[in-house]
Every structure is written in structure tokens, then in C-alpha cells.
Amino acid sequence: GESVGLHLPTLSVQEGDNSIINCAYSNSASDYFIWYKQESGKGPQFIIDIRSNMDKRQGQRVTVLLNKTVKHLSLQIAATQPGDSAVYFCAENPTSGTYKYIFGTGTRLKVLA
Amino acid sequence: ETGVTQTPRHLVMGMTNKKSLKCEQHLGHNAMYWYKQSAKKPLELMFVYNFKEQTENNSVPSRFSPECPNSSHLFLHLHTLQPEDSALYLCASSRLNGGGAGDTQYFGPGTRLTVL
């Protein structure tokens, strides 16, 4: 079946270093992708999105890369801070024009002081 | 913090109890959603309302009963739940259901439900 998966369930990064969180998706027709951050005890928070007609999009300290050839999505966080510690998961919209997103299980990012 | 609020934040109930979860969005969105989030599992879509009309019931057991009196409020009525229903219940809203690429869903903080 269709799935959105993550290569690493837990990622530990030294404070100040860059973080890269990966996501694989299976539906080549997906045209919209979102990265969410979920801190302990909170709901998912929108970080950044990207449409399939782009391969890169930058936000404040975050960059999302989309490689449609290998159906791979990544989230890069520059100069990782303690406040970045959270679970990050991606979501894909496999059918344009619908609300049915497929969500990944998430990667836990731990920032080491 | 997001413009989607949920109450209560924590709820413990017995299997014979009846309780309700409340969600309110202050974003002027037209679509609202209920999701279930269990440990180590992806988000599971439960219900979708668009302009107060239910457009999706993702094979959810009848012990979960949603209600959407207007585009800003969404309820989830609970009765005769099972321990396996214990999870984080998330409410979300978006500008327009079926709006296609860019119709981002914004989530509330969730209600942590424990069924004894």
C-alpha cells in the first residue's frame, strides 16, 4: 500500500550543527508535501511545504528538498537549537484537490548541548 | 501558537462514561477534521466537515459521534469507549476542503484521552 516512511526513527544532533530529516513517499502522483513539527504535549505545527513543481524551498532556518525521481523528501534545519527538539513528520497529498493526506510516523530529533 | 484550540487537554474516562471533546478554530477556515494519533502510528483521519457538512467518515466506530454546529466549532462525542481508544485526538482546520495543493491543515494541541 501507499506509505510515507522515514529512514531514521531517532536523530541526535549537536547544538549548532545542521540536521537533515528524511522522508520517502511512494505515490509518484503526489503533488504537495508538508513538514510538521510536534513537540511533546502539543499538536503538529506546520513548518514548511513544497509543491511538486519545485525541488527546493527555503524558510527561516529550514529548507525542504524534493527529489521526485527517487520519491524522497528531506527537511534541513540549519544551526539546530534545543528548541528544535521534537518529532518531525512529513505528509503527502497523493490526490490533488482532496484533504486526504498520508502522514509519516515521524522522526524524533534530539539536540545535544 | 495555532489558531485551533481544543478542550479538555486531558481526559480520563471509564468505558461506560459519556464525554465530549471540543474544538474551535479562529482562522476563518471552512473545513475541520478529527484525527486519532496513537503511539508510533501515523495520524489516522476520522472525520471531515466542510462548511458544516460531514464529507468523510473513515470507517469510524459509532461510539465516536462528531458534531459540527458551524464552521468554527467541532465536537467529538464519546460513549462506551474501549481501552484501545486511548490516544491523542487532534482537531485540524483548513481553508477549503478539496482546495488542492496549498490547502494546509493546521492542528490544535490535542486531547490526550485515556480509557480505563
mmCIF file of all heavy atoms in Angstrom, chain A residues 32 34 36 44-46 93 98-101 103, chain B residues 4 27 29 31-35 43 45 48 91-98 102-108:
data_model
loop_
_atom_site.group_PDB
_atom_site.id
_atom_site.type_symbol
_atom_site.label_atom_id
_atom_site.label_comp_id
_atom_site.label_asym_id
_atom_site.label_seq_id
_atom_site.Cartn_x
_atom_site.Cartn_y
_atom_site.Cartn_z
ATOM 1 N N TYR A 32 1.876 17.657 -3.420
ATOM 2 C CA TYR A 32 2.036 18.639 -2.347
ATOM 3 C C TYR A 32 2.519 17.919 -1.107
ATOM 4 O O TYR A 32 2.010 16.845 -0.756
ATOM 5 C CB TYR A 32 0.696 19.333 -2.097
ATOM 6 C CG TYR A 32 0.706 20.397 -1.026
ATOM 7 C CD1 TYR A 32 1.570 21.487 -1.113
ATOM 8 C CD2 TYR A 32 -0.154 20.330 0.055
ATOM 9 C CE1 TYR A 32 1.567 22.469 -0.141
ATOM 10 C CE2 TYR A 32 -0.162 21.302 1.030
ATOM 11 C CZ TYR A 32 0.705 22.372 0.934
ATOM 12 O OH TYR A 32 0.695 23.339 1.896
ATOM 13 N N ILE A 34 4.103 18.456 3.063
ATOM 14 C CA ILE A 34 4.216 19.328 4.227
ATOM 15 C C ILE A 34 5.133 18.669 5.248
ATOM 16 O O ILE A 34 5.112 17.448 5.421
ATOM 17 C CB ILE A 34 2.835 19.579 4.895
ATOM 18 C CG1 ILE A 34 1.834 20.156 3.898
ATOM 19 C CG2 ILE A 34 2.979 20.516 6.093
ATOM 20 C CD1 ILE A 34 0.423 20.246 4.478
ATOM 21 N N TYR A 36 5.759 18.777 9.328
ATOM 22 C CA TYR A 36 5.211 19.214 10.605
ATOM 23 C C TYR A 36 6.215 18.946 11.719
ATOM 24 O O TYR A 36 6.981 17.978 11.663
ATOM 25 C CB TYR A 36 3.912 18.470 10.942
ATOM 26 C CG TYR A 36 2.705 18.885 10.145
ATOM 27 C CD1 TYR A 36 2.306 18.173 9.024
ATOM 28 C CD2 TYR A 36 1.943 19.985 10.537
ATOM 29 C CE1 TYR A 36 1.183 18.538 8.308
ATOM 30 C CE2 TYR A 36 0.814 20.358 9.818
ATOM 31 C CZ TYR A 36 0.441 19.624 8.703
ATOM 32 O OH TYR A 36 -0.673 19.991 7.986
ATOM 33 N N PRO A 44 0.680 18.912 16.094
ATOM 34 C CA PRO A 44 1.620 19.165 14.994
ATOM 35 C C PRO A 44 1.577 20.630 14.559
ATOM 36 O O PRO A 44 0.507 21.216 14.456
ATOM 37 C CB PRO A 44 1.103 18.244 13.880
ATOM 38 C CG PRO A 44 0.327 17.186 14.576
ATOM 39 C CD PRO A 44 -0.293 17.879 15.750
ATOM 40 N N GLN A 45 2.752 21.156 14.296
ATOM 41 C CA GLN A 45 2.872 22.556 13.889
ATOM 42 C C GLN A 45 3.442 22.607 12.482
ATOM 43 O O GLN A 45 4.475 22.001 12.204
ATOM 44 C CB GLN A 45 3.789 23.295 14.868
ATOM 45 C CG GLN A 45 4.097 24.736 14.512
ATOM 46 C CD GLN A 45 5.150 25.341 15.420
ATOM 47 O OE1 GLN A 45 5.637 24.699 16.334
ATOM 48 N NE2 GLN A 45 5.514 26.578 15.148
ATOM 49 N N PHE A 46 2.784 23.320 11.600
ATOM 50 C CA PHE A 46 3.256 23.472 10.228
ATOM 51 C C PHE A 46 4.624 24.152 10.210
ATOM 52 O O PHE A 46 4.839 25.153 10.889
ATOM 53 C CB PHE A 46 2.246 24.306 9.445
ATOM 54 C CG PHE A 46 2.715 24.726 8.080
ATOM 55 C CD1 PHE A 46 2.501 23.906 6.998
ATOM 56 C CD2 PHE A 46 3.348 25.944 7.877
ATOM 57 C CE1 PHE A 46 2.913 24.293 5.731
ATOM 58 C CE2 PHE A 46 3.762 26.340 6.623
ATOM 59 C CZ PHE A 46 3.550 25.511 5.555
ATOM 60 N N ASN A 93 0.169 14.718 -0.171
ATOM 61 C CA ASN A 93 -1.178 14.777 -0.695
ATOM 62 C C ASN A 93 -1.191 13.991 -2.005
ATOM 63 O O ASN A 93 -0.801 14.519 -3.038
ATOM 64 C CB ASN A 93 -1.593 16.240 -0.913
ATOM 65 C CG ASN A 93 -3.046 16.383 -1.270
ATOM 66 O OD1 ASN A 93 -3.408 17.104 -2.189
ATOM 67 N ND2 ASN A 93 -3.908 15.714 -0.538
ATOM 68 N N THR A 98 -7.836 17.047 -2.815
ATOM 69 C CA THR A 98 -8.520 16.404 -1.695
ATOM 70 C C THR A 98 -7.787 16.715 -0.398
ATOM 71 O O THR A 98 -6.674 17.215 -0.385
ATOM 72 C CB THR A 98 -8.590 14.880 -1.851
ATOM 73 O OG1 THR A 98 -7.290 14.322 -1.544
ATOM 74 C CG2 THR A 98 -8.971 14.477 -3.256
ATOM 75 N N TYR A 99 -8.452 16.373 0.680
ATOM 76 C CA TYR A 99 -7.902 16.626 2.009
ATOM 77 C C TYR A 99 -7.157 15.419 2.548
ATOM 78 O O TYR A 99 -6.674 15.422 3.647
ATOM 79 C CB TYR A 99 -9.053 16.952 2.961
ATOM 80 C CG TYR A 99 -10.205 15.983 2.826
ATOM 81 C CD1 TYR A 99 -10.128 14.706 3.363
ATOM 82 C CD2 TYR A 99 -11.339 16.333 2.119
ATOM 83 C CE1 TYR A 99 -11.163 13.808 3.210
ATOM 84 C CE2 TYR A 99 -12.390 15.439 1.969
ATOM 85 C CZ TYR A 99 -12.298 14.177 2.506
ATOM 86 O OH TYR A 99 -13.315 13.289 2.348
ATOM 87 N N LYS A 100 -7.105 14.370 1.779
ATOM 88 C CA LYS A 100 -6.575 13.112 2.303
ATOM 89 C C LYS A 100 -5.060 13.071 2.222
ATOM 90 O O LYS A 100 -4.483 12.691 1.214
ATOM 91 C CB LYS A 100 -7.181 11.923 1.569
ATOM 92 C CG LYS A 100 -8.654 11.764 1.853
ATOM 93 C CD LYS A 100 -9.186 10.456 1.307
ATOM 94 C CE LYS A 100 -10.654 10.280 1.680
ATOM 95 N NZ LYS A 100 -11.218 8.994 1.219
ATOM 96 N N TYR A 101 -4.451 13.459 3.277
ATOM 97 C CA TYR A 101 -3.010 13.395 3.379
ATOM 98 C C TYR A 101 -2.583 12.043 3.939
ATOM 99 O O TYR A 101 -3.292 11.416 4.706
ATOM 100 C CB TYR A 101 -2.488 14.499 4.307
ATOM 101 C CG TYR A 101 -2.538 15.869 3.693
ATOM 102 C CD1 TYR A 101 -3.687 16.635 3.759
ATOM 103 C CD2 TYR A 101 -1.424 16.394 3.043
ATOM 104 C CE1 TYR A 101 -3.738 17.893 3.186
ATOM 105 C CE2 TYR A 101 -1.460 17.646 2.473
ATOM 106 C CZ TYR A 101 -2.618 18.392 2.542
ATOM 107 O OH TYR A 101 -2.664 19.632 1.972
ATOM 108 N N PHE A 103 0.317 10.598 6.258
ATOM 109 C CA PHE A 103 1.290 11.102 7.222
ATOM 110 C C PHE A 103 2.316 10.024 7.552
ATOM 111 O O PHE A 103 1.993 8.844 7.644
ATOM 112 C CB PHE A 103 0.595 11.534 8.518
ATOM 113 C CG PHE A 103 -0.335 12.698 8.360
ATOM 114 C CD1 PHE A 103 -1.667 12.499 8.036
ATOM 115 C CD2 PHE A 103 0.116 13.999 8.532
ATOM 116 C CE1 PHE A 103 -2.540 13.567 7.888
ATOM 117 C CE2 PHE A 103 -0.745 15.076 8.392
ATOM 118 C CZ PHE A 103 -2.074 14.858 8.068
ATOM 119 N N VAL B 4 -6.123 27.067 16.526
ATOM 120 C CA VAL B 4 -7.050 25.970 16.782
ATOM 121 C C VAL B 4 -6.896 25.551 18.238
ATOM 122 O O VAL B 4 -5.806 25.203 18.673
ATOM 123 C CB VAL B 4 -6.759 24.760 15.858
ATOM 124 C CG1 VAL B 4 -7.772 23.645 16.118
ATOM 125 C CG2 VAL B 4 -6.784 25.188 14.391
ATOM 126 N N LEU B 27 -9.409 30.721 12.634
ATOM 127 C CA LEU B 27 -8.661 31.049 11.423
ATOM 128 C C LEU B 27 -9.560 31.383 10.242
ATOM 129 O O LEU B 27 -9.049 31.649 9.151
ATOM 130 C CB LEU B 27 -7.755 29.860 11.061
ATOM 131 C CG LEU B 27 -6.732 29.477 12.140
ATOM 132 C CD1 LEU B 27 -6.057 28.160 11.806
ATOM 133 C CD2 LEU B 27 -5.694 30.585 12.293
ATOM 134 N N HIS B 29 -11.416 29.312 8.705
ATOM 135 C CA HIS B 29 -11.397 28.179 7.778
ATOM 136 C C HIS B 29 -12.789 27.586 7.594
ATOM 137 O O HIS B 29 -13.694 27.793 8.415
ATOM 138 C CB HIS B 29 -10.451 27.105 8.280
ATOM 139 C CG HIS B 29 -9.011 27.492 8.161
ATOM 140 N ND1 HIS B 29 -7.996 26.816 8.812
ATOM 141 C CD2 HIS B 29 -8.405 28.472 7.451
ATOM 142 C CE1 HIS B 29 -6.837 27.367 8.503
ATOM 143 N NE2 HIS B 29 -7.059 28.380 7.684
ATOM 144 N N ALA B 31 -13.129 24.107 6.622
ATOM 145 C CA ALA B 31 -13.070 22.660 6.824
ATOM 146 C C ALA B 31 -12.454 22.335 8.174
ATOM 147 O O ALA B 31 -11.504 22.996 8.608
ATOM 148 C CB ALA B 31 -12.254 22.002 5.715
ATOM 149 N N MET B 32 -12.991 21.322 8.830
ATOM 150 C CA MET B 32 -12.473 20.887 10.113
ATOM 151 C C MET B 32 -12.376 19.366 10.125
ATOM 152 O O MET B 32 -13.153 18.671 9.467
ATOM 153 C CB MET B 32 -13.343 21.377 11.267
ATOM 154 C CG MET B 32 -13.386 22.905 11.368
ATOM 155 S SD MET B 32 -14.226 23.511 12.835
ATOM 156 C CE MET B 32 -12.981 23.200 14.112
ATOM 157 N N TYR B 33 -11.402 18.877 10.879
ATOM 158 C CA TYR B 33 -11.061 17.456 10.848
ATOM 159 C C TYR B 33 -10.850 16.915 12.263
ATOM 160 O O TYR B 33 -10.372 17.628 13.145
ATOM 161 C CB TYR B 33 -9.741 17.250 10.090
ATOM 162 C CG TYR B 33 -9.652 17.940 8.745
ATOM 163 C CD1 TYR B 33 -9.394 19.308 8.655
ATOM 164 C CD2 TYR B 33 -9.797 17.218 7.565
ATOM 165 C CE1 TYR B 33 -9.300 19.939 7.432
ATOM 166 C CE2 TYR B 33 -9.699 17.854 6.333
ATOM 167 C CZ TYR B 33 -9.451 19.205 6.279
ATOM 168 O OH TYR B 33 -9.355 19.836 5.052
ATOM 169 N N TRP B 34 -11.161 15.635 12.419
ATOM 170 C CA TRP B 34 -10.742 14.906 13.615
ATOM 171 C C TRP B 34 -9.757 13.822 13.189
ATOM 172 O O TRP B 34 -10.018 13.063 12.241
ATOM 173 C CB TRP B 34 -11.918 14.229 14.325
ATOM 174 C CG TRP B 34 -12.733 15.110 15.218
ATOM 175 C CD1 TRP B 34 -14.045 15.439 15.092
ATOM 176 C CD2 TRP B 34 -12.292 15.766 16.416
ATOM 177 N NE1 TRP B 34 -14.451 16.265 16.103
ATOM 178 C CE2 TRP B 34 -13.386 16.480 16.941
ATOM 179 C CE3 TRP B 34 -11.068 15.828 17.099
ATOM 180 C CZ2 TRP B 34 -13.317 17.247 18.099
ATOM 181 C CZ3 TRP B 34 -10.987 16.594 18.255
ATOM 182 C CH2 TRP B 34 -12.107 17.290 18.751
ATOM 183 N N TYR B 35 -8.631 13.765 13.908
ATOM 184 C CA TYR B 35 -7.630 12.730 13.706
ATOM 185 C C TYR B 35 -7.384 12.000 15.018
ATOM 186 O O TYR B 35 -7.497 12.570 16.101
ATOM 187 C CB TYR B 35 -6.284 13.330 13.266
ATOM 188 C CG TYR B 35 -6.205 13.803 11.845
ATOM 189 C CD1 TYR B 35 -6.524 15.122 11.502
ATOM 190 C CD2 TYR B 35 -5.763 12.951 10.836
ATOM 191 C CE1 TYR B 35 -6.408 15.561 10.199
ATOM 192 C CE2 TYR B 35 -5.651 13.392 9.526
ATOM 193 C CZ TYR B 35 -5.965 14.697 9.216
ATOM 194 O OH TYR B 35 -5.852 15.134 7.925
ATOM 195 N N LEU B 43 -0.861 9.565 11.748
ATOM 196 C CA LEU B 43 -2.166 10.147 12.005
ATOM 197 C C LEU B 43 -3.245 9.409 11.217
ATOM 198 O O LEU B 43 -3.073 9.125 10.039
ATOM 199 C CB LEU B 43 -2.176 11.621 11.603
ATOM 200 C CG LEU B 43 -1.357 12.583 12.470
ATOM 201 C CD1 LEU B 43 -1.414 13.979 11.874
ATOM 202 C CD2 LEU B 43 -1.868 12.597 13.884
ATOM 203 N N LEU B 45 -7.036 9.730 9.905
ATOM 204 C CA LEU B 45 -8.167 10.616 9.677
ATOM 205 C C LEU B 45 -9.448 9.917 10.117
ATOM 206 O O LEU B 45 -9.693 8.774 9.752
ATOM 207 C CB LEU B 45 -8.252 10.992 8.196
ATOM 208 C CG LEU B 45 -9.391 11.912 7.786
ATOM 209 C CD1 LEU B 45 -9.262 13.280 8.434
ATOM 210 C CD2 LEU B 45 -9.436 12.043 6.265
ATOM 211 N N VAL B 48 -14.324 14.390 8.545
ATOM 212 C CA VAL B 48 -14.078 15.663 7.884
ATOM 213 C C VAL B 48 -15.403 16.389 7.727
ATOM 214 O O VAL B 48 -16.411 15.783 7.343
ATOM 215 C CB VAL B 48 -13.446 15.482 6.489
ATOM 216 C CG1 VAL B 48 -13.182 16.847 5.846
ATOM 217 C CG2 VAL B 48 -12.164 14.672 6.574
ATOM 218 N N CYS B 91 -7.633 17.850 16.471
ATOM 219 C CA CYS B 91 -8.531 18.580 15.594
ATOM 220 C C CYS B 91 -7.675 19.425 14.647
ATOM 221 O O CYS B 91 -6.599 19.893 15.034
ATOM 222 C CB CYS B 91 -9.441 19.475 16.423
ATOM 223 S SG CYS B 91 -10.509 20.582 15.481
ATOM 224 N N ALA B 92 -8.123 19.575 13.447
ATOM 225 C CA ALA B 92 -7.414 20.412 12.483
ATOM 226 C C ALA B 92 -8.422 21.198 11.666
ATOM 227 O O ALA B 92 -9.608 20.837 11.596
ATOM 228 C CB ALA B 92 -6.531 19.572 11.568
ATOM 229 N N SER B 93 -7.956 22.258 11.048
ATOM 230 C CA SER B 93 -8.812 23.009 10.144
ATOM 231 C C SER B 93 -8.004 23.429 8.924
ATOM 232 O O SER B 93 -6.771 23.487 8.969
ATOM 233 C CB SER B 93 -9.412 24.244 10.834
ATOM 234 O OG SER B 93 -8.413 25.234 11.070
ATOM 235 N N SER B 94 -8.705 23.680 7.848
ATOM 236 C CA SER B 94 -8.046 24.183 6.651
ATOM 237 C C SER B 94 -8.990 25.147 5.959
ATOM 238 O O SER B 94 -10.199 25.161 6.210
ATOM 239 C CB SER B 94 -7.632 23.051 5.708
ATOM 240 O OG SER B 94 -8.776 22.464 5.101
ATOM 241 N N ARG B 95 -8.414 25.914 5.062
ATOM 242 C CA ARG B 95 -9.177 26.970 4.414
ATOM 243 C C ARG B 95 -10.324 26.419 3.600
ATOM 244 O O ARG B 95 -11.454 26.873 3.687
ATOM 245 C CB ARG B 95 -8.244 27.786 3.523
ATOM 246 C CG ARG B 95 -8.885 28.984 2.851
ATOM 247 C CD ARG B 95 -7.889 29.603 1.919
ATOM 248 N NE ARG B 95 -7.461 28.613 0.930
ATOM 249 C CZ ARG B 95 -6.274 28.616 0.340
ATOM 250 N NH1 ARG B 95 -5.401 29.529 0.637
ATOM 251 N NH2 ARG B 95 -5.958 27.697 -0.528
ATOM 252 N N LEU B 96 -10.012 25.400 2.841
ATOM 253 C CA LEU B 96 -11.043 24.872 1.965
ATOM 254 C C LEU B 96 -10.792 23.410 1.690
ATOM 255 O O LEU B 96 -9.744 23.045 1.176
ATOM 256 C CB LEU B 96 -11.070 25.625 0.637
ATOM 257 C CG LEU B 96 -12.125 25.162 -0.372
ATOM 258 C CD1 LEU B 96 -13.517 25.408 0.179
ATOM 259 C CD2 LEU B 96 -11.929 25.893 -1.686
ATOM 260 N N ASN B 97 -11.755 22.596 2.033
ATOM 261 C CA ASN B 97 -11.668 21.178 1.769
ATOM 262 C C ASN B 97 -11.604 20.949 0.265
ATOM 263 O O ASN B 97 -12.420 21.456 -0.467
ATOM 264 C CB ASN B 97 -12.890 20.480 2.351
ATOM 265 C CG ASN B 97 -12.784 18.983 2.227
ATOM 266 O OD1 ASN B 97 -11.740 18.452 1.875
ATOM 267 N ND2 ASN B 97 -13.868 18.310 2.490
ATOM 268 N N GLY B 98 -10.640 20.209 -0.151
ATOM 269 C CA GLY B 98 -10.503 19.971 -1.577
ATOM 270 C C GLY B 98 -9.861 21.121 -2.303
ATOM 271 O O GLY B 98 -9.954 21.230 -3.520
ATOM 272 N N GLY B 102 -1.600 23.309 -1.374
ATOM 273 C CA GLY B 102 -1.559 24.538 -0.616
ATOM 274 C C GLY B 102 -2.644 24.641 0.415
ATOM 275 O O GLY B 102 -2.671 25.591 1.188
ATOM 276 N N ASP B 103 -3.558 23.710 0.464
ATOM 277 C CA ASP B 103 -4.622 23.743 1.462
ATOM 278 C C ASP B 103 -4.112 23.080 2.736
ATOM 279 O O ASP B 103 -4.457 21.955 3.057
ATOM 280 C CB ASP B 103 -5.859 23.026 0.934
ATOM 281 C CG ASP B 103 -7.054 23.203 1.858
ATOM 282 O OD1 ASP B 103 -7.115 24.247 2.536
ATOM 283 O OD2 ASP B 103 -7.909 22.305 1.916
ATOM 284 N N THR B 104 -3.290 23.808 3.447
ATOM 285 C CA THR B 104 -2.611 23.283 4.620
ATOM 286 C C THR B 104 -3.572 23.092 5.773
ATOM 287 O O THR B 104 -4.438 23.929 6.030
ATOM 288 C CB THR B 104 -1.497 24.251 5.041
ATOM 289 O OG1 THR B 104 -0.648 24.489 3.916
ATOM 290 C CG2 THR B 104 -0.688 23.669 6.182
ATOM 291 N N GLN B 105 -3.391 21.998 6.474
ATOM 292 C CA GLN B 105 -4.179 21.741 7.669
ATOM 293 C C GLN B 105 -3.402 22.198 8.892
ATOM 294 O O GLN B 105 -2.226 21.878 9.041
ATOM 295 C CB GLN B 105 -4.510 20.248 7.766
ATOM 296 C CG GLN B 105 -5.434 19.781 6.642
ATOM 297 C CD GLN B 105 -5.777 18.316 6.725
ATOM 298 O OE1 GLN B 105 -5.595 17.671 7.753
ATOM 299 N NE2 GLN B 105 -6.297 17.762 5.638
ATOM 300 N N TYR B 106 -4.067 22.934 9.756
ATOM 301 C CA TYR B 106 -3.478 23.439 10.988
ATOM 302 C C TYR B 106 -4.123 22.719 12.162
ATOM 303 O O TYR B 106 -5.341 22.613 12.247
ATOM 304 C CB TYR B 106 -3.681 24.951 11.100
ATOM 305 C CG TYR B 106 -2.924 25.709 10.027
ATOM 306 C CD1 TYR B 106 -3.515 25.994 8.806
ATOM 307 C CD2 TYR B 106 -1.616 26.121 10.243
ATOM 308 C CE1 TYR B 106 -2.816 26.669 7.810
ATOM 309 C CE2 TYR B 106 -0.911 26.803 9.257
ATOM 310 C CZ TYR B 106 -1.518 27.064 8.048
ATOM 311 O OH TYR B 106 -0.815 27.717 7.075
ATOM 312 N N PHE B 107 -3.281 22.263 13.056
ATOM 313 C CA PHE B 107 -3.728 21.398 14.136
ATOM 314 C C PHE B 107 -3.859 22.123 15.467
ATOM 315 O O PHE B 107 -3.135 23.077 15.758
ATOM 316 C CB PHE B 107 -2.749 20.231 14.318
ATOM 317 C CG PHE B 107 -2.792 19.225 13.207
ATOM 318 C CD1 PHE B 107 -2.036 19.414 12.064
ATOM 319 C CD2 PHE B 107 -3.589 18.093 13.302
ATOM 320 C CE1 PHE B 107 -2.077 18.491 11.028
ATOM 321 C CE2 PHE B 107 -3.633 17.170 12.273
ATOM 322 C CZ PHE B 107 -2.875 17.371 11.133
ATOM 323 N N GLY B 108 -4.778 21.605 16.284
ATOM 324 C CA GLY B 108 -4.861 22.035 17.662
ATOM 325 C C GLY B 108 -3.896 21.238 18.514
ATOM 326 O O GLY B 108 -3.190 20.359 18.009
#
